[in-house]
Amino acid sequence: MTNATKKTKRRHDDPDAVLGVTRTRAAQRLGARLRRPLFAWWDVHARALPWRDARTSPWGVLVCEIMSQQTQMSRVVPYWNAWMERWPDAAALADAPRADVLAAWGRLGYPRRALRLQECARVVAAECRDELPRDYDALVALPGVGDYTASAVLSFAYGERIAVIDTNIRRVLSRAFLGEESLGGATGAVERALANAVLPRDAAASATWNQAVMELGALVCTAKQPACADCPLRGGCLFLAAGLPHLGERRTRPRQRFAGTDRQVRGIIMQALRDLPEDAHGVLRHEDASRLWKDTAQLDRCIASLDDDGLVEIVSGHDVRLPA
DNA sequence: CTCCGGTGTG
DNA sequence: CACACAGGAG
């Protein structure tokens, strides 16, 4: 899916139109006031993650962001280091066998991300002269790149002034500036407008702001147990002032259990394929696959869905292997 | 809104 | 055991 209609362009970004002039100005004033303590905190507490090295290419930043989708940074670090050494740019990744790409993805989870990353690499290599676009619409049109990832690349790799909105930033901004929890679900117009209202006007400062707010959400302003005593925003945080109302509340109803789901079964199959012995020549025979899961109907359904997703290939009718 | 992995943490 | 985690696509 590469057509431009799959993702909507950013709209409703004008804070005045969504929040009203008064609330917008109040948020801007508070944001300006909190910037200094936040940046001071960032200077001291920012984690020394490898992709924060100034020499990291925009492609390297993109790889990091894709790997980090729904995955903790600490788990990403070793994968990113090995990945960038093996495939330093889009052109290198584009030429790799899909089976190698999926195997290298290892236990990061959501292996479709690996597939999309390679599709993305092929587009960038073939259509963009191996150079990642510096344009929101072009980025968001790439496979596996949504609003968050496009914004993160523009802000962190290119230094453009754009509001980055992820789960951490939503939580921190909603708490500090609105005094309430960010409820689950899609990002609302209010949250988007708020992010734009408090984003520093200066481009360089805006990139630091995005990173610092995100880092604060990861290390201090966490979902369940925020360390308000250690927070650089405590002097102005509306959520703290209100007594942390409804701390940890979510609108989304509890997720389906993992045990017994297709996700677990698919994961087991992918793991078996990654860990196949050498003498298997990359092929998992159906007889061996059926020992991975008791419910044969579910197993076969999952193999079929993995095949549909391009994550496996079915050979000789019912054996399975990673795609070439 | 649902599906899509795997792991650290309380 | 429950739950959150630098989301994206159908």
Side-chain angles (χ1 to χ4, degrees):
Chain A
M1 186 74 54
T2 57
N3 63 40
T5 61
K6 67 170 180 175
K7 294 151 188 163
T8 43
K9 284 178 63 172
R10 284 193 160 194
R11 284 172 277 112
H12 313 306
D13 281 4
D14 179 16
D16 285 348
V18 178
L19 294 173
V21 176
T22 305
R23 293 174 70 192
T24 299
R25 295 294 174 273
Q28 287 171 335
R29 280 194 302 274
L30 182 54
R33 189 180 128 208
L34 294 178
R35 190 177 313 169
R36 186 185 300 277
L38 176 64
F39 283 18
W41 175 88
W42 166 255
D43 286 339
V44 175
H45 294 95
R47 292 170 289 184
L49 299 166
W51 45 84
R52 285 178 178 167
D53 186 301
R55 292 166 299 182
T56 302
S57 66
W59 176 255
V61 172
L62 176 76
V63 172
C64 152
E65 298 304 338
I66 301 281
M67 286 183 170
S68 300
Q69 291 167 6
Q70 295 293 283
T71 305
Q72 293 86 339
M73 313 292 301
S74 55
R75 291 179 50 212
V76 169
V77 171
Y79 285 97
W80 186 84
N81 284 327
W83 191 282
M84 294 308 293
E85 176 142 0
R86 186 171 181 182
W87 300 301
D89 47 42
L93 183 61
D95 290 335
R98 262 202 298 181
D100 289 4
V101 173
L102 288 169
W105 196 256
R107 307 184 71 86
L108 275 175
Y110 294 132
R112 290 192 295 192
R113 291 183 295 166
L115 239 40
R116 300 227 171 89
L117 179 56
Q118 188 181 34
E119 293 170 21
C120 176
R122 288 178 171 154
V123 174
V124 171
E127 299 178 16
C128 310
R129 300 176 182 180
D130 201 25
E131 192 169 325
L132 202 56
R134 185 172 179 157
D135 172 78
Y136 180 85
D137 291 331
L139 284 168
V140 86
L142 293 169
V145 178
D147 174 71
Y148 163 75
T149 304
S151 304
V153 166
L154 288 175
S155 179
F156 305 153
Y158 289 123
E160 297 275 350
R161 182 184 180 278
I162 184 169
V164 175
I165 302 178
D166 78 319
T167 181
N168 281 319
I169 291 188
R170 287 176 65 187
R171 181 174 60 251
V172 173
L173 296 185
S174 182
R175 283 176 176 173
F177 293 94
L178 303 178
E180 58 190 41
E181 286 287 31
S182 168
L183 301 179
T187 303
V190 170
E191 289 185 331
R192 188 169 293 289
L194 174 62
N196 279 284
V198 299
L199 189 69
R201 312 307 300 181
D202 174 67
S206 74
T208 303
W209 172 268
N210 284 326
Q211 296 219 62
V213 174
M214 210 176 300
E215 191 83 338
L216 190 70
L219 300 180
V220 175
C221 192
T222 55
K224 298 172 110 175
Q225 293 187 341
C228 299
D230 303 322
C231 183
L233 309 185
R234 64 186 178 281
C237 178
L238 300 184
F239 191 59
L240 178 60
L244 313 184
H246 308 290
L247 176 63
E249 179 178 301
R250 308 265 119 196
R251 177 185 302 153
T252 51
R253 66 182 152 87
R255 284 250 190 224
Q256 184 186 32
R257 267 192 173 39
F258 179 65
T261 60
D262 285 2
R263 284 162 72 169
Q264 182 186 18
V265 179
R266 287 165 56 106
I268 289 171
I269 296 166
M270 293 301 292
Q271 181 180 1
L273 287 170
R274 285 194 307 266
D275 301 341
L276 225 43
E278 287 295 329
D279 60 9
H281 302 295
V283 175
L284 176 67
R285 298 179 49 220
H286 188 266
E287 176 191 341
D288 297 324
S290 33
R291 269 185 233 109
L292 296 171
W293 195 252
K294 289 90 31 187
D295 185 341
T296 308
Q298 185 180 21
L299 183 76
D300 290 338
R301 174 162 39 103
C302 287
I303 291 173
S305 74
L306 287 169
D307 181 49
D308 287 342
D309 291 343
L311 288 165
V312 307
E313 278 178 3
I314 299 176
V315 289
S316 306
H318 52 263
D319 296 337
V320 188
R321 72 177 181 196
L322 292 178

